[in-house]
Amino acid sequence: MAVTASESRLEERWRDILSVHARTMCEIDRVLHPHGLGASDFEVLDRLAAETPAEGDHCRVQNLVGQVHLSQSALSRLIGRLEKDGLVERSVCVEDRRGVWVALTPRGRALHAEVRPLQRAALERMLDTPAD
């Protein structure tokens, strides 16, 4: 079966997207590694900071599933690691015992604020396209 020019361009665009994603994730991992975080760790902390702007606010883990690019089980494992490191706290939802709340700890909020400029600078370096 012959590949059309249109299909070839589509495949090339897709591979370009994957390449940019992979390089960007590696760069974010590199700059955050000295702080004990990876790109996925930061993404969860960043989403929690956005969802819970005030100390004491919390978010349902289920709400994060649709926002981060991790399966529910991978997200649960990641949150477990962040909890072990003292960056987040989990609690059971009283209204729905199946639900789990997650909140940034003061330490998690401080670390997020410290590394956020590093992650944003990495994004700018990797995603900033030169003007034509």
Side-chain angles (χ1 to χ4, degrees):
M1 180 181 220
V3 176
T4 67
S6 176
E7 287 175 326
S8 180
R9 284 190 304 274
L10 186 62
E11 288 172 2
E12 186 176 322
R13 283 181 49 213
W14 173 242
R15 289 187 178 115
D16 287 346
I17 290 168
L18 291 176
S19 178
V20 168
H21 178 266
R23 287 191 316 268
T24 304
M25 291 295 281
C26 287
E27 178 64 8
I28 293 169
D29 280 338
R30 185 188 69 74
V31 299
L32 297 182
H33 183 266
H35 301 274
L37 296 173
S40 294
D41 302 323
F42 177 83
E43 187 64 22
V44 169
L45 294 179
D46 200 43
R47 294 292 182 155
L48 280 172
E51 291 279 324
T52 61
E55 194 161 323
D57 287 350
H58 54 269
C59 173
R60 283 185 73 136
V61 171
Q62 188 61 36
N63 293 352
L64 293 174
V65 171
Q67 296 180 19
V68 297
H69 302 288
L70 298 170
S71 67
Q72 186 164 353
S73 61
L75 177 60
S76 292
R77 287 190 303 273
L78 189 148
I79 289 172
R81 287 192 311 274
L82 295 175
E83 184 177 38
K84 182 180 171 205
D85 293 341
L87 303 175
V88 301
E89 295 174 327
R90 284 189 284 191
S91 58
V92 174
C93 178
V94 176
E95 298 84 26
D96 176 3
R97 306 263 320 145
R98 296 170 297 173
V100 177
W101 293 108
V102 64
L104 285 172
T105 63
R107 181 176 174 203
R109 202 170 287 283
L111 181 59
H112 172 263
E114 177 184 345
V115 300
R116 185 176 186 269
L118 301 174
Q119 187 264 2
R120 296 306 197 261
L123 288 179
E124 282 185 18
R125 280 193 307 279
M126 301 307 293
L127 301 177
D128 192 24
T129 54
D132 291 331

